Amino acid sequence: GPKVLQIPSHQIIDMGQMVTLNCDPVSNHLYFYWYKQILGQQMEFLVNFYNGKVMEKSKLFKDQFSVERPDGSYFTLKIQPTALEDSAVYFCASSLAAGDSQNTLYFGAGTRLSVL
Amino acid sequence: GDQVKQSPSALSLQEGTNSALRCNFSIATTTVQWFLQNPRGSLMNLFYLVPGTKENGRLKSTFNSKESYSTLHIRDAQLEDSGTYFCAAEDDSGYNKLTFGKGTVLLVSP
């Protein structure tokens, strides 16, 4: 089936540093998402992105977070500066559309971020 | 409280048996998606549901919007069905924002 690739699978970083998580979404998809999962808990919505713009973000999407997809390349989540509570698995997802059956989300395998 | 309540939180099944997972919603839900997360963490989409029922092999899922719940039935459970099952509710914002339940950890044993 359609695949979303996330790079790297695991990132270890010192608190205060910047980190960029990369996502290669399904090639013809138009909507992109980031979700956060703390170990043992449910996935929580961070942000969705369409046509070069953030459409909606949750309260978990702090000012230190930003997303972009320059020139149709990777969809990225940047955290600058990182904090200890940012340690989690970050899942990228994409969908063809929103609002009908084409908005089935396809998730990547996640990037485990460890902030020390 | 939880906007999407999943039950049970954990379940053990023997191969070949049947079971049902359930999600109750306390938020306005337009569609429901069910996912299976394998032990490595990868998420696989099982169903996208508008109100009604869908079936795929040994899995059948129903979304009842009037009573705000969804069920996932597993028939003839196999070892490879083991993992964590999540339901997720889409709200009416139109931007496909999903609210996930806490998941049901399913273990199928021989």
Side-chain angles (χ1 to χ4, degrees):
Chain A
K3 290 212 184 292
V4 174
L5 300 176
Q6 288 189 244
I7 304 161
S9 58
H10 193 182
Q11 179 105 30
I12 301 172
I13 198 161
D14 289 326
M15 183 177 66
Q17 285 193 306
M18 181 196 77
V19 68
T20 300
L21 308 183
N22 297 300
C23 172
D24 188 11
V26 178
S27 61
N28 61 336
H29 283 187
L30 301 175
Y31 291 78
F32 313 108
Y33 314 83
W34 284 103
Y35 282 79
K36 176 181 179 181
Q37 185 180 36
I38 293 173
L39 186 64
Q41 298 184 22
Q42 73 262 47
M43 309 259 285
E44 295 194 90
F45 171 82
L46 284 177
V47 66
N48 54 17
F49 188 85
Y50 168 71
N51 199 23
K53 289 183 273 194
V54 169
M55 304 307 291
E56 193 174 2
K57 57 187 179 182
S58 73
K59 62 181 186 297
L60 295 178
F61 194 80
K62 304 180 297 184
D63 291 343
Q64 297 88 332
F65 287 33
S66 62
V67 291
E68 63 176 356
R69 192 184 186 215
D71 300 324
S73 61
Y74 286 152
F75 176 51
T76 62
L77 173 65
K78 185 190 293 187
I79 309 174
Q80 181 177 29
T82 50
L84 294 177
E85 62 265 26
D86 296 332
S87 295
V89 180
Y90 290 84
F91 287 93
C92 172
S94 68
S95 67
L96 181 60
D100 59 26
S101 62
Q102 292 181 317
N103 69 352
T104 298
L105 260 65
Y106 293 88
F107 280 84
T111 293
R112 181 177 298 280
L113 176 66
S114 299
V115 182
L116 307 178
Chain B
D2 292 345
Q3 295 177 318
V4 177
K5 280 191 180 170
Q6 268 190 260
S7 60
S9 56
L11 183 61
S12 290
L13 293 178
Q14 279 204 301
E15 256 186 313
T17 59
N18 307 328
S19 192
L21 314 180
R22 183 177 174 109
C23 280
N24 290 309
F25 309 113
S26 58
I27 52 172
T29 301
T30 55
T31 66
V32 175
Q33 298 189 40
W34 281 91
F35 299 88
L36 170 58
Q37 187 172 37
N38 68 23
R40 288 182 307 165
S42 296
L43 275 158
M44 182 171 65
N45 191 293
L46 299 175
F47 288 104
Y48 171 92
L49 294 162
V50 293
T53 298
K54 282 189 179 176
E55 198 162 349
N56 184 5
R58 296 178 294 100
L59 300 180
K60 183 167 83 171
S61 187
T62 295
F63 170 35
N64 184 323
S65 56
K66 287 183 182 172
E67 296 182 29
S68 300
Y69 74 87
S70 178
T71 55
L72 176 67
H73 290 262
I74 303 173
R75 177 175 53 81
D76 184 25
Q78 302 296 304
L79 299 179
E80 61 266 27
D81 295 334
S82 296
T84 303
Y85 289 78
F86 289 99
C87 67
E90 180 186 1
D91 63 18
D92 54 5
S93 68
Y95 295 132
N96 206 7
K97 173 188 161 190
L98 296 181
T99 301
F100 280 77
K102 292 186 176 176
T104 294
V105 179
L106 174 66
L107 177 63
V108 181
S109 51

